[in-house]
Amino acid sequence: MDRAEHSAARIGWLFGASLLLHAALVVLLGRAPLPRPAPASQPLEVAVVEKPAPPPPAPPEPVPMKVARAAKRPAQDLPPPPARTQPLLPSAAPPPPSREAPQPAQEPVVLPGITLESTSQGGPFAVSAGNTLYGQPLRTAKDPAEAKPYKAERYVAASQVNELPSVEGRPESLRPFYPEAARQRGVEGDVVLRLLIDADGSLAKVDVIGDPGAGLGAAGARAIRQFRFRPGKVGGQPVATTITYVLHFVLD
């Protein structure tokens, strides 16, 4: 029984000590200063300010330009205007007679018919040969030797020969044949000639088909007579044929 009382007394004492301890803690906590509340956060305001554009640069100052002026020329004495002349009155006298063209010393031989240069080869029909189509054909045929300008027995067009005529000899210069009037005027040019070369290489006929003027065409016809040619050939045999040749007249 003594043990039970002693245990109860002990428990009571511990309970009382516990109460006193808690009461002391309450008193201490009540006297401790309370923590201050944290200040409320204020929102941060950001102001966006646009930077003003820089002012435009000032225009450059104009540079004065120096204008060159022409030098003053002394006044010149102008010739007086030509005096007005009265128009000539028509004369009652008759005009002078015109000069007649000189007559050729020798009448040209007119043989109506086609030229052999205009043919390529023979055909099944006969046509009179001559040197012009402007004329009345003769009722009696003439000797062919009078119509053809070449001596060869055969004429062949240049397109059918195997070997064209070539130059065998020529003058060193065309200066002796240059017309004096063309030389003084400074006229140059090419003279185009159509040459009928015989079977022996001689020139049977010369026609000027390109004339630059100033007498160069006639000079070219004279100069070509001083050339020597090799005849054209067909199958190794010389024949008469026609070629085109150009002479260049150039002032030295």
Side-chain angles (χ1 to χ4, degrees), residues 21-35:
L21 182 59
H22 282 84
L25 289 175
V26 171
V27 173
L28 291 176
L29 290 175
R31 290 183 178 180
L34 297 175

Side-chain angles (χ1 to χ4, degrees), residues 111-233:
L111 298 176
I114 63 172
T115 59
L116 292 178
E117 293 94 330
S118 61
T119 61
S120 59
Q121 59 185 2
F125 58 92
V127 179
S128 60
N131 55 16
T132 180
L133 295 178
Y134 293 94
Q136 183 68 26
L138 301 176
R139 296 183 177 274
T140 303
K142 289 207 175 229
D143 186 3
E146 300 181 9
K148 67 177 185 178
Y150 53 88
K151 303 182 293 291
E153 297 182 359
R154 183 182 178 188
Y155 175 86
V156 181
S159 59
Q160 296 180 354
V161 297
N162 303 125
E163 182 180 347
L164 287 172
S166 59
V167 178
E168 187 176 17
R170 56 171 298 168
E172 295 182 359
S173 174
L174 297 178
R175 184 181 302 175
F177 306 97
Y178 217 109
E180 188 61 28
R183 188 190 308 274
Q184 293 178 359
R185 294 166 52 189
V187 179
E188 299 180 346
D190 296 339
V191 177
V192 185
L193 304 171
R194 182 171 57 225
L195 308 178
L196 175 56
I197 301 177
D198 215 330
D200 58 356
S202 61
L203 277 175
K205 188 178 180 182
V206 178
D207 294 324
V208 180
I209 58 177
D211 187 358
L216 292 180
R222 293 193 305 270
I224 201 67
R225 294 288 183 181
Q226 306 301 321
F227 283 57
R228 296 193 308 273
F229 292 90
R230 298 186 186 92
K233 295 182 181 180

